[in-house]
Structures are given as structure tokens and as C-alpha cells.
Amino acid sequence: MRKNRIMFAAGIAFAALGCVAGTVNQGEPSLKQIFKDDFHIGAALNYPQASGKDPKAEAIIAKHFSTITPENLLKWGNVHPQPDKYNFKPADDFVALGKKHKQFIVGHTLTWHQQTPNWVFESAPGKPATKEQLLKRQTEHIMAVAGRYKGQIHGWDVVNEALNDDGTLRNSKWYQITGEEYLANAFETARKADPKAELYYNDYNLWKPAKADGALKLVKSLQAKGLKVYGIGMQGHYGLENPTIQQIEESIIKFSKVGKVMFTEVDIDVLPNPSNRQGADIDATFEFDQKYNVYTKGLPEEVEQKLAKRYAELFALFHKHRDKITRVTFWGVTDADSWLNNWPIQGRTSYPMIFDRNYQPKPAFHAIVNAVKKK
């Protein structure tokens, strides 16, 4: 029965491709309406989208999404590139767009080991900062950024990717210089900056039991200190077959014991991966090789159906646990926007989203709709 529904959905989607490229089909169902009683549904936006320079994408964003996240605009290197310089204009535009469409606005991210300028970790060029210097900079940064958007940004990825896959703390510069103190300081400061904002821990590969246990331990330790951790963001960077639905479900249940669960960066990579690894460590990059860029002229129908089936199964799971999940966010709007076009190999043609390069819904879109309509 599920197979038949997906095949039917595929026919609808391929018919939709006959529409004028870049227009929103008024007859198609709205995702935010379908999930309005279940959880927020959203997307991560790049700067052209956030600043209103991509009206075709904005039409999708306005119709289908009840929440938005900035892909890069609020990462430290973008918003605070130099000690005495903040670049708030892109983030201001992003927040204004969310207000315009009455969306739940998420900030990403206040503390991360990537895309943070070297000066943050140095007392002088090439010389490490002291623990006191680094914690002071972290505090000032969070107060400035989260404080600016107090009451406007509704939830923050306070700390991003602090764990290794075995559940131990990542040996980042944050950890090397401050030990575990930067974690508590981040959540304590974020609460001071905006006491009403939801505060999250966010990471990838949280379907792996060891890493899930590490995240659980981390959040419990912060909560034991009296700190506010609203929930855990599970980045949904998945493949067509892995991880299994059971593995994802086990982590949902596990994390629901300490707070709410969010799926924060959902996409499905249909291309072969040179390392066969799972996750989203942006350091794991490879030289271009054509054998890992196999669908340059479009996605074969067989693979399109596999993608649709995978999305249907994921959203059936999310819907099943809608009492535990508060948000599901795609990491991008269309295939053209996805970071997977350039990771782990630059220059690939990737197809991980539910809207194609012509801003049209794919079979995966309709498979999601059908998967939950039948419930």
C-alpha cells in the first residue's frame, strides 16, 4: 500500500514539473498547514533568501514553512569577524523576513569550533588565549548577539557539535583552553541575554548510541547545574538507507527524557560518498572525482522513488512522535541551495531536498504529504 501511494505521489510531482518554473502551485498542500498541530516545519536560509533577493524561494518559504534558521549568517565568523566589528545587517534582514511571515525564528549558532575566527582563541597571533580571555570573549559575543535579538529570535543553538562520535567531548580549542567551562558559560550567558528564548544543544550523528548517550550526559550535567536546556537538536543529515528508522527512533525516545527533540538540519544525500561515513563533519572533504558525481543530468526515476520513500518513512516517524518533537527543519530550500553540492566534494550535483532546482515540489514532497495524511 505504501509503495502504491508513493508511486501515485510521484506521478503528481512529475506533472507539477510542467508548471512554470519558479511559481508556487496554489493547489499544492501547504506543509505548515499539514503539520500545524504537530510541530514547526522549516528551512535553513542563505543570504539571498534571507534578504529578499530570491523571490521564488521566498514564495516557498512563506507558503510552506512556519520556522526559519540562518544557514551561516549568525555563525561567529560572519556576524563578528573582528574583535571590534559586528556585521548585523544580514542577520537583521533574516529576522525581518521571519517577522514578515510570522515564523518561529531560530538562531544558529552561538558557540562552535568551526567558522570561528582565529583571533577568538588567541591572545596574540599564534599565541593561545587564556581561559579567562576566551570565556570573556564568549560571554561578550553571546550577550551582544543574542541580546540584540532578545524577544525576536525565539530559540538558539547555543552549543553546536561539542561531541565526538564515541560520546566524549571534542578536543576543540574551546575545550583545550577552558575544559568543560565553555559549555556551562554558553548556556548561562544565553539565558541572561534572553531569558525567554528556547536554548538547545545541537549535533550530528545523534542516532549513534554512544554519541546519544554522550549528549544525554552533557545535557543532564548542564541541567544539574541549574542551567536551562530546552532540548536537543538532532541534525538529520542522512542517507537513503542509513541510519535505520529504528536507530533514529531510539534517540528520539532517549532525548525526550531530558527535554524536547528537534530535527534541525534535515537532508538526504543520494550520491555515493567516498568515505562511506555518516554525519556532517565539514573537515572531512575530498578531491573531486567524477565517480562520486553520477547524476549530472538529473536524478534517475528509480533513485527519485527511493528518496521519496525515505522521506515518507522519516516523516511518518516524526509524526508518530509529534508529542516529543517541536521542530523539523530542512537544511536548505531547494536542491540548488544545498551544502551537499559542495560537501564532501566541491562541485557535485546533489538532490537532497524536497524542492528541485526549478523551485518545484519533487516526489519526496508529495510522499511526505501522503505519509501523514493517511494517519
Side-chain angles (χ1 to χ4, degrees):
M1 180 63 72
R2 175 179 286 171
K3 182 178 180 182
N4 290 339
R5 290 204 304 269
I6 292 170
M7 292 302 290
F8 174 73
I12 296 173
F14 285 123
L17 294 179
C19 298
V20 177
T23 61
V24 170
N25 181 354
Q26 296 304 316
E28 73 191 19
S30 163
L31 292 179
K32 69 180 180 183
Q33 287 301 314
I34 288 170
F35 293 104
K36 64 183 173 62
D37 296 325
D38 303 323
F39 42 70
H40 287 299
I41 184 97
L45 310 188
N46 59 32
Y47 185 47
Q49 294 161 351
S51 60
K53 294 181 175 66
D54 188 347
K56 295 176 183 178
E58 186 175 348
I60 293 173
I61 293 161
K63 175 168 183 173
H64 291 289
F65 300 133
S66 57
T67 179
I68 56 172
T69 300
E71 194 170 9
N72 290 298
L73 304 180
L74 279 165
K75 290 173 180 174
W76 196 314
N78 292 63
V79 75
H80 191 183
Q82 299 172 20
D84 57 352
K85 180 182 178 183
Y86 284 88
N87 178 29
F88 285 121
K89 178 63 167 60
D92 287 350
D93 289 345
F94 163 77
V95 171
L97 185 76
K99 289 180 178 179
K100 175 183 176 182
H101 298 300
K102 297 179 173 58
Q103 291 159 323
F104 184 89
I105 305 171
V106 177
H108 176 81
T109 170
L110 293 171
T111 300
W112 191 26
H113 65 283
Q114 297 281 5
Q115 292 177 245
T116 303
N118 289 333
W119 65 261
V120 176
F121 303 107
E122 296 177 342
S123 59
K127 184 179 180 182
T130 65
K131 178 170 72 172
E132 291 73 20
Q133 284 176 319
L134 183 53
L135 291 174
K136 182 173 184 287
R137 286 172 184 164
Q138 182 189 41
T139 298
E140 290 173 348
H141 174 83
I142 293 174
M143 290 301 296
V145 176
R148 180 182 182 88
Y149 301 110
K150 179 181 179 180
Q152 303 176 77
I153 286 181
H154 308 110
W156 282 97
D157 290 332
V158 178
V159 176
N160 195 47
E161 301 176 4
L163 297 170
N164 298 309
D165 275 7
D166 65 0
T168 61
L169 286 169
R170 183 189 292 271
N171 190 33
S172 65
K173 291 180 180 178
W174 288 107
Y175 184 77
Q176 290 172 19
I177 296 172
T178 76
E180 297 184 26
E181 286 186 46
Y182 82 94
L183 299 163
N185 188 59
F187 279 93
E188 182 178 8
T189 307
R191 180 172 59 180
K192 288 179 182 176
D194 190 348
K196 293 185 178 180
E198 295 179 1
L199 307 180
Y200 322 123
Y201 175 72
N202 190 58
D203 213 329
Y204 62 87
N205 279 0
L206 289 179
W207 56 270
K208 293 187 174 182
K211 193 164 192 176
D213 289 343
L216 205 61
K217 178 182 177 182
L218 171 60
V219 169
K220 284 181 175 179
S221 71
L222 293 168
Q223 291 173 338
K225 293 180 174 73
L227 297 170
K228 174 184 174 183
V229 184
Y230 178 83
I232 295 176
M234 296 177 65
Q235 295 180 19
H237 298 297
Y238 301 143
L240 285 172
E241 297 180 356
N242 294 303
T244 67
I245 294 298
Q246 181 181 349
Q247 288 170 321
I248 300 169
E249 183 170 33
E250 287 171 355
S251 287
I252 293 172
I253 294 168
K254 186 177 292 187
F255 294 149
S256 69
K257 307 299 183 186
V258 296
K260 292 296 183 179
V261 180
M262 289 136 283
F263 284 84
T264 57
E265 304 182 20
V266 175
D267 50 33
I268 297 173
D269 194 356
V270 301
L271 298 178
N273 189 314
S275 68
N276 292 318
R277 66 185 300 282
Q278 304 293 325
D281 187 343
I282 65 172
D283 282 336
T285 58
F286 300 86
E287 292 299 316
F288 185 84
D289 188 327
Q290 193 61 49
K291 69 182 179 182
Y292 300 117
N293 188 36
V294 292
Y295 305 131
T296 57
K297 297 182 179 179
L299 202 59
E301 183 175 352
E302 178 186 2
V303 183
E304 195 83 74
Q305 297 312 314
K306 288 181 180 178
L307 180 65
K309 181 175 184 290
R310 179 65 158 162
Y311 267 118
E313 290 172 344
L314 279 173
F315 272 81
L317 176 69
F318 300 158
H319 191 260
K320 175 183 176 182
H321 291 288
R322 58 193 181 276
D323 60 323
K324 306 174 184 68
I325 296 170
T326 60
R327 175 165 53 93
V328 177
T329 297
F330 295 99
W331 203 241
V333 178
T334 75
D335 286 338
D337 315 318
S338 174
W339 72 303
L340 290 173
N341 290 299
N342 292 305
W343 184 90
I345 297 172
Q346 288 276 344
R348 298 197 302 173
T349 307
S350 194
Y351 305 85
M353 312 310 300
I354 63 171
F355 292 94
D356 67 18
R357 284 170 168 77
N358 292 318
Y359 300 85
Q360 296 301 318
K362 294 161 61 174
F365 172 94
H366 296 282
I368 289 171
V369 172
N370 287 337
V372 298
K373 270 190 173 179
K374 303 298 182 184
K375 297 295 181 183

mmCIF file of all heavy atoms in Angstrom, residues 277-310:
data_model
loop_
_atom_site.group_PDB
_atom_site.id
_atom_site.type_symbol
_atom_site.label_atom_id
_atom_site.label_comp_id
_atom_site.label_asym_id
_atom_site.label_seq_id
_atom_site.Cartn_x
_atom_site.Cartn_y
_atom_site.Cartn_z
ATOM 1 N N ARG A 277 31.123 7.352 5.189
ATOM 2 C CA ARG A 277 30.876 7.743 6.580
ATOM 3 C C ARG A 277 29.544 8.485 6.676
ATOM 4 O O ARG A 277 29.018 8.981 5.684
ATOM 5 C CB ARG A 277 32.001 8.599 7.124
ATOM 6 C CG ARG A 277 32.115 9.956 6.440
ATOM 7 C CD ARG A 277 33.323 10.713 6.935
ATOM 8 N NE ARG A 277 33.233 10.933 8.354
ATOM 9 C CZ ARG A 277 32.473 11.874 8.900
ATOM 10 N NH1 ARG A 277 31.728 12.644 8.156
ATOM 11 N NH2 ARG A 277 32.461 12.033 10.210
ATOM 12 N N GLN A 278 29.031 8.560 7.867
ATOM 13 C CA GLN A 278 27.805 9.293 8.118
ATOM 14 C C GLN A 278 28.163 10.551 8.895
ATOM 15 O O GLN A 278 29.176 10.613 9.567
ATOM 16 C CB GLN A 278 26.827 8.432 8.939
ATOM 17 C CG GLN A 278 26.503 7.097 8.312
ATOM 18 C CD GLN A 278 25.714 7.230 7.030
ATOM 19 O OE1 GLN A 278 24.892 8.114 6.887
ATOM 20 N NE2 GLN A 278 25.984 6.345 6.077
ATOM 21 N N GLY A 279 27.288 11.543 8.795
ATOM 22 C CA GLY A 279 27.492 12.711 9.626
ATOM 23 C C GLY A 279 27.688 13.974 8.833
ATOM 24 O O GLY A 279 27.330 14.068 7.670
ATOM 25 N N ALA A 280 28.312 14.967 9.475
ATOM 26 C CA ALA A 280 28.404 16.284 8.860
ATOM 27 C C ALA A 280 29.632 17.036 9.336
ATOM 28 O O ALA A 280 29.592 18.244 9.556
ATOM 29 C CB ALA A 280 27.147 17.082 9.192
ATOM 30 N N ASP A 281 30.743 16.338 9.512
ATOM 31 C CA ASP A 281 31.982 16.996 9.919
ATOM 32 C C ASP A 281 32.546 17.699 8.700
ATOM 33 O O ASP A 281 33.038 17.064 7.758
ATOM 34 C CB ASP A 281 32.973 15.969 10.452
ATOM 35 C CG ASP A 281 34.216 16.626 11.050
ATOM 36 O OD1 ASP A 281 34.453 17.819 10.764
ATOM 37 O OD2 ASP A 281 34.940 15.958 11.798
ATOM 38 N N ILE A 282 32.492 19.037 8.665
ATOM 39 C CA ILE A 282 32.868 19.764 7.462
ATOM 40 C C ILE A 282 34.354 19.672 7.154
ATOM 41 O O ILE A 282 34.783 20.049 6.062
ATOM 42 C CB ILE A 282 32.420 21.242 7.528
ATOM 43 C CG1 ILE A 282 33.146 21.997 8.650
ATOM 44 C CG2 ILE A 282 30.911 21.344 7.664
ATOM 45 C CD1 ILE A 282 32.858 23.488 8.613
ATOM 46 N N ASP A 283 35.156 19.169 8.089
ATOM 47 C CA ASP A 283 36.582 18.951 7.801
ATOM 48 C C ASP A 283 36.809 17.749 6.898
ATOM 49 O O ASP A 283 37.872 17.625 6.278
ATOM 50 C CB ASP A 283 37.362 18.742 9.108
ATOM 51 C CG ASP A 283 37.616 20.062 9.820
ATOM 52 O OD1 ASP A 283 37.608 21.107 9.133
ATOM 53 O OD2 ASP A 283 37.821 20.048 11.033
ATOM 54 N N ALA A 284 35.843 16.849 6.816
ATOM 55 C CA ALA A 284 36.010 15.601 6.048
ATOM 56 C C ALA A 284 35.698 15.858 4.575
ATOM 57 O O ALA A 284 34.613 15.589 4.087
ATOM 58 C CB ALA A 284 35.102 14.513 6.607
ATOM 59 N N THR A 285 36.671 16.430 3.857
ATOM 60 C CA THR A 285 36.488 16.758 2.448
ATOM 61 C C THR A 285 37.434 15.948 1.579
ATOM 62 O O THR A 285 38.463 15.458 2.046
ATOM 63 C CB THR A 285 36.721 18.257 2.206
ATOM 64 O OG1 THR A 285 38.044 18.599 2.648
ATOM 65 C CG2 THR A 285 35.708 19.099 2.962
ATOM 66 N N PHE A 286 37.117 15.851 0.280
ATOM 67 C CA PHE A 286 37.879 15.026 -0.643
ATOM 68 C C PHE A 286 38.043 15.748 -1.980
ATOM 69 O O PHE A 286 37.254 16.640 -2.319
ATOM 70 C CB PHE A 286 37.167 13.684 -0.871
ATOM 71 C CG PHE A 286 36.974 12.877 0.385
ATOM 72 C CD1 PHE A 286 35.871 13.081 1.196
ATOM 73 C CD2 PHE A 286 37.903 11.922 0.762
ATOM 74 C CE1 PHE A 286 35.688 12.349 2.361
ATOM 75 C CE2 PHE A 286 37.724 11.186 1.920
ATOM 76 C CZ PHE A 286 36.616 11.402 2.720
ATOM 77 N N GLU A 287 39.059 15.336 -2.740
ATOM 78 C CA GLU A 287 39.264 15.893 -4.070
ATOM 79 C C GLU A 287 38.137 15.440 -5.002
ATOM 80 O O GLU A 287 37.560 14.380 -4.831
ATOM 81 C CB GLU A 287 40.618 15.438 -4.624
ATOM 82 C CG GLU A 287 41.819 16.008 -3.889
ATOM 83 C CD GLU A 287 41.894 17.516 -3.949
ATOM 84 O OE1 GLU A 287 41.673 18.073 -5.052
ATOM 85 O OE2 GLU A 287 42.151 18.152 -2.908
ATOM 86 N N PHE A 288 37.866 16.269 -6.015
ATOM 87 C CA PHE A 288 36.794 15.940 -6.948
ATOM 88 C C PHE A 288 37.112 14.662 -7.711
ATOM 89 O O PHE A 288 38.232 14.444 -8.163
ATOM 90 C CB PHE A 288 36.573 17.079 -7.947
ATOM 91 C CG PHE A 288 35.408 16.838 -8.858
ATOM 92 C CD1 PHE A 288 34.122 17.153 -8.458
ATOM 93 C CD2 PHE A 288 35.586 16.254 -10.098
ATOM 94 C CE1 PHE A 288 33.031 16.919 -9.282
ATOM 95 C CE2 PHE A 288 34.501 16.017 -10.944
ATOM 96 C CZ PHE A 288 33.225 16.357 -10.527
ATOM 97 N N ASP A 289 36.114 13.810 -7.821
ATOM 98 C CA ASP A 289 36.227 12.568 -8.582
ATOM 99 C C ASP A 289 34.858 12.327 -9.218
ATOM 100 O O ASP A 289 33.845 12.247 -8.531
ATOM 101 C CB ASP A 289 36.608 11.404 -7.658
ATOM 102 C CG ASP A 289 36.932 10.129 -8.434
ATOM 103 O OD1 ASP A 289 36.331 9.907 -9.498
ATOM 104 O OD2 ASP A 289 37.791 9.353 -7.963
ATOM 105 N N GLN A 290 34.835 12.189 -10.546
ATOM 106 C CA GLN A 290 33.579 12.097 -11.271
ATOM 107 C C GLN A 290 32.716 10.915 -10.831
ATOM 108 O O GLN A 290 31.492 10.967 -10.913
ATOM 109 C CB GLN A 290 33.832 12.008 -12.773
ATOM 110 C CG GLN A 290 32.578 12.213 -13.627
ATOM 111 C CD GLN A 290 31.935 13.586 -13.432
ATOM 112 O OE1 GLN A 290 32.630 14.603 -13.479
ATOM 113 N NE2 GLN A 290 30.628 13.614 -13.186
ATOM 114 N N LYS A 291 33.352 9.865 -10.321
ATOM 115 C CA LYS A 291 32.559 8.695 -9.936
ATOM 116 C C LYS A 291 31.672 8.971 -8.714
ATOM 117 O O LYS A 291 30.791 8.169 -8.400
ATOM 118 C CB LYS A 291 33.462 7.495 -9.669
ATOM 119 C CG LYS A 291 34.346 7.592 -8.432
ATOM 120 C CD LYS A 291 35.226 6.354 -8.317
ATOM 121 C CE LYS A 291 36.145 6.418 -7.109
ATOM 122 N NZ LYS A 291 37.029 5.233 -7.024
ATOM 123 N N TYR A 292 31.908 10.094 -8.036
ATOM 124 C CA TYR A 292 31.047 10.484 -6.922
ATOM 125 C C TYR A 292 30.091 11.616 -7.312
ATOM 126 O O TYR A 292 29.475 12.246 -6.461
ATOM 127 C CB TYR A 292 31.888 10.900 -5.722
ATOM 128 C CG TYR A 292 32.785 9.791 -5.215
ATOM 129 C CD1 TYR A 292 34.169 9.916 -5.243
ATOM 130 C CD2 TYR A 292 32.233 8.615 -4.721
ATOM 131 C CE1 TYR A 292 34.983 8.887 -4.791
ATOM 132 C CE2 TYR A 292 33.039 7.587 -4.275
ATOM 133 C CZ TYR A 292 34.421 7.726 -4.313
ATOM 134 O OH TYR A 292 35.219 6.705 -3.861
ATOM 135 N N ASN A 293 29.999 11.878 -8.598
ATOM 136 C CA ASN A 293 29.109 12.920 -9.116
ATOM 137 C C ASN A 293 28.345 12.328 -10.298
ATOM 138 O O ASN A 293 28.541 12.696 -11.447
ATOM 139 C CB ASN A 293 29.925 14.139 -9.561
ATOM 140 C CG ASN A 293 29.050 15.322 -9.937
ATOM 141 O OD1 ASN A 293 28.012 15.550 -9.323
ATOM 142 N ND2 ASN A 293 29.469 16.084 -10.935
ATOM 143 N N VAL A 294 27.459 11.387 -10.005
ATOM 144 C CA VAL A 294 26.954 10.474 -11.032
ATOM 145 C C VAL A 294 25.636 10.909 -11.682
ATOM 146 O O VAL A 294 25.213 10.299 -12.666
ATOM 147 C CB VAL A 294 26.776 9.060 -10.433
ATOM 148 C CG1 VAL A 294 28.127 8.456 -10.111
ATOM 149 C CG2 VAL A 294 25.903 9.108 -9.175
ATOM 150 N N TYR A 295 24.987 11.976 -11.154
ATOM 151 C CA TYR A 295 23.679 12.354 -11.684
ATOM 152 C C TYR A 295 23.693 13.794 -12.193
ATOM 153 O O TYR A 295 22.848 14.618 -11.819
ATOM 154 C CB TYR A 295 22.592 12.189 -10.617
ATOM 155 C CG TYR A 295 22.529 10.813 -10.004
ATOM 156 C CD1 TYR A 295 22.499 10.648 -8.622
ATOM 157 C CD2 TYR A 295 22.484 9.672 -10.804
ATOM 158 C CE1 TYR A 295 22.428 9.381 -8.052
ATOM 159 C CE2 TYR A 295 22.424 8.413 -10.242
ATOM 160 C CZ TYR A 295 22.397 8.270 -8.874
ATOM 161 O OH TYR A 295 22.333 7.014 -8.306
ATOM 162 N N THR A 296 24.629 14.105 -13.059
ATOM 163 C CA THR A 296 24.801 15.490 -13.509
ATOM 164 C C THR A 296 23.654 15.969 -14.390
ATOM 165 O O THR A 296 23.436 17.164 -14.539
ATOM 166 C CB THR A 296 26.121 15.648 -14.265
ATOM 167 O OG1 THR A 296 26.146 14.722 -15.363
ATOM 168 C CG2 THR A 296 27.311 15.367 -13.352
ATOM 169 N N LYS A 297 22.911 15.056 -15.013
ATOM 170 C CA LYS A 297 21.833 15.445 -15.930
ATOM 171 C C LYS A 297 20.444 15.206 -15.336
ATOM 172 O O LYS A 297 19.443 15.254 -16.048
ATOM 173 C CB LYS A 297 21.973 14.696 -17.251
ATOM 174 C CG LYS A 297 23.262 15.041 -18.002
ATOM 175 C CD LYS A 297 23.352 14.307 -19.330
ATOM 176 C CE LYS A 297 24.633 14.688 -20.065
ATOM 177 N NZ LYS A 297 24.759 13.968 -21.365
ATOM 178 N N GLY A 298 20.400 14.951 -14.042
ATOM 179 C CA GLY A 298 19.114 14.723 -13.391
ATOM 180 C C GLY A 298 19.110 13.419 -12.627
ATOM 181 O O GLY A 298 19.939 12.535 -12.856
ATOM 182 N N LEU A 299 18.176 13.311 -11.699
ATOM 183 C CA LEU A 299 18.101 12.132 -10.852
ATOM 184 C C LEU A 299 17.266 11.054 -11.538
ATOM 185 O O LEU A 299 16.132 11.301 -11.936
ATOM 186 C CB LEU A 299 17.465 12.521 -9.515
ATOM 187 C CG LEU A 299 17.732 11.616 -8.312
ATOM 188 C CD1 LEU A 299 19.216 11.519 -8.030
ATOM 189 C CD2 LEU A 299 17.000 12.156 -7.087
ATOM 190 N N PRO A 300 17.814 9.846 -11.696
ATOM 191 C CA PRO A 300 17.026 8.759 -12.305
ATOM 192 C C PRO A 300 15.751 8.498 -11.510
ATOM 193 O O PRO A 300 15.721 8.649 -10.284
ATOM 194 C CB PRO A 300 17.975 7.558 -12.228
ATOM 195 C CG PRO A 300 19.340 8.151 -12.122
ATOM 196 C CD PRO A 300 19.171 9.422 -11.352
ATOM 197 N N GLU A 301 14.709 8.078 -12.220
ATOM 198 C CA GLU A 301 13.411 7.880 -11.567
ATOM 199 C C GLU A 301 13.510 6.880 -10.415
ATOM 200 O O GLU A 301 12.873 7.056 -9.371
ATOM 201 C CB GLU A 301 12.369 7.413 -12.587
ATOM 202 C CG GLU A 301 10.983 7.268 -11.987
ATOM 203 C CD GLU A 301 9.927 6.933 -13.010
ATOM 204 O OE1 GLU A 301 10.246 6.967 -14.218
ATOM 205 O OE2 GLU A 301 8.796 6.636 -12.609
ATOM 206 N N GLU A 302 14.311 5.842 -10.594
ATOM 207 C CA GLU A 302 14.450 4.839 -9.533
ATOM 208 C C GLU A 302 14.992 5.460 -8.250
ATOM 209 O O GLU A 302 14.528 5.160 -7.143
ATOM 210 C CB GLU A 302 15.381 3.714 -10.005
ATOM 211 C CG GLU A 302 15.620 2.646 -8.950
ATOM 212 C CD GLU A 302 16.657 1.620 -9.382
ATOM 213 O OE1 GLU A 302 17.214 1.758 -10.496
ATOM 214 O OE2 GLU A 302 16.911 0.684 -8.601
ATOM 215 N N VAL A 303 15.979 6.337 -8.390
ATOM 216 C CA VAL A 303 16.556 6.996 -7.216
ATOM 217 C C VAL A 303 15.572 8.023 -6.655
ATOM 218 O O VAL A 303 15.468 8.195 -5.434
ATOM 219 C CB VAL A 303 17.908 7.650 -7.567
ATOM 220 C CG1 VAL A 303 18.543 8.259 -6.322
ATOM 221 C CG2 VAL A 303 18.846 6.639 -8.205
ATOM 222 N N GLU A 304 14.837 8.696 -7.546
ATOM 223 C CA GLU A 304 13.817 9.644 -7.098
ATOM 224 C C GLU A 304 12.797 8.954 -6.203
ATOM 225 O O GLU A 304 12.356 9.497 -5.184
ATOM 226 C CB GLU A 304 13.120 10.241 -8.317
ATOM 227 C CG GLU A 304 12.307 11.484 -8.033
ATOM 228 C CD GLU A 304 13.149 12.750 -8.005
ATOM 229 O OE1 GLU A 304 13.568 13.217 -9.069
ATOM 230 O OE2 GLU A 304 13.361 13.258 -6.882
ATOM 231 N N GLN A 305 12.433 7.734 -6.569
ATOM 232 C CA GLN A 305 11.459 6.977 -5.776
ATOM 233 C C GLN A 305 12.050 6.537 -4.432
ATOM 234 O O GLN A 305 11.350 6.528 -3.413
ATOM 235 C CB GLN A 305 10.958 5.767 -6.571
ATOM 236 C CG GLN A 305 10.209 6.124 -7.846
ATOM 237 C CD GLN A 305 9.151 7.195 -7.628
ATOM 238 O OE1 GLN A 305 8.382 7.129 -6.676
ATOM 239 N NE2 GLN A 305 9.139 8.191 -8.488
ATOM 240 N N LYS A 306 13.329 6.187 -4.444
ATOM 241 C CA LYS A 306 13.991 5.826 -3.180
ATOM 242 C C LYS A 306 14.028 7.024 -2.240
ATOM 243 O O LYS A 306 13.808 6.890 -1.020
ATOM 244 C CB LYS A 306 15.407 5.321 -3.446
ATOM 245 C CG LYS A 306 15.474 3.948 -4.088
ATOM 246 C CD LYS A 306 16.924 3.525 -4.287
ATOM 247 C CE LYS A 306 17.015 2.139 -4.923
ATOM 248 N NZ LYS A 306 18.433 1.741 -5.163
ATOM 249 N N LEU A 307 14.311 8.196 -2.793
ATOM 250 C CA LEU A 307 14.332 9.413 -1.986
ATOM 251 C C LEU A 307 12.945 9.704 -1.418
ATOM 252 O O LEU A 307 12.805 10.047 -0.233
ATOM 253 C CB LEU A 307 14.815 10.589 -2.840
ATOM 254 C CG LEU A 307 14.901 11.951 -2.144
ATOM 255 C CD1 LEU A 307 15.964 11.933 -1.051
ATOM 256 C CD2 LEU A 307 15.211 13.053 -3.161
ATOM 257 N N ALA A 308 11.915 9.555 -2.255
ATOM 258 C CA ALA A 308 10.543 9.776 -1.797
ATOM 259 C C ALA A 308 10.174 8.808 -0.679
ATOM 260 O O ALA A 308 9.583 9.198 0.337
ATOM 261 C CB ALA A 308 9.584 9.633 -2.975
ATOM 262 N N LYS A 309 10.517 7.548 -0.854
ATOM 263 C CA LYS A 309 10.215 6.534 0.162
ATOM 264 C C LYS A 309 10.929 6.851 1.474
ATOM 265 O O LYS A 309 10.350 6.734 2.560
ATOM 266 C CB LYS A 309 10.626 5.155 -0.348
ATOM 267 C CG LYS A 309 10.346 4.004 0.606
ATOM 268 C CD LYS A 309 10.688 2.677 -0.054
ATOM 269 C CE LYS A 309 10.332 1.496 0.856
ATOM 270 N NZ LYS A 309 11.215 1.403 2.024
ATOM 271 N N ARG A 310 12.180 7.288 1.381
ATOM 272 C CA ARG A 310 12.955 7.603 2.580
ATOM 273 C C ARG A 310 12.333 8.778 3.340
ATOM 274 O O ARG A 310 12.158 8.725 4.565
ATOM 275 C CB ARG A 310 14.397 7.918 2.182
ATOM 276 C CG ARG A 310 15.321 8.294 3.335
ATOM 277 C CD ARG A 310 15.528 7.155 4.290
ATOM 278 N NE ARG A 310 16.768 7.341 5.047
ATOM 279 C CZ ARG A 310 17.055 6.726 6.165
ATOM 280 N NH1 ARG A 310 16.204 5.853 6.680
ATOM 281 N NH2 ARG A 310 18.200 6.937 6.786
#
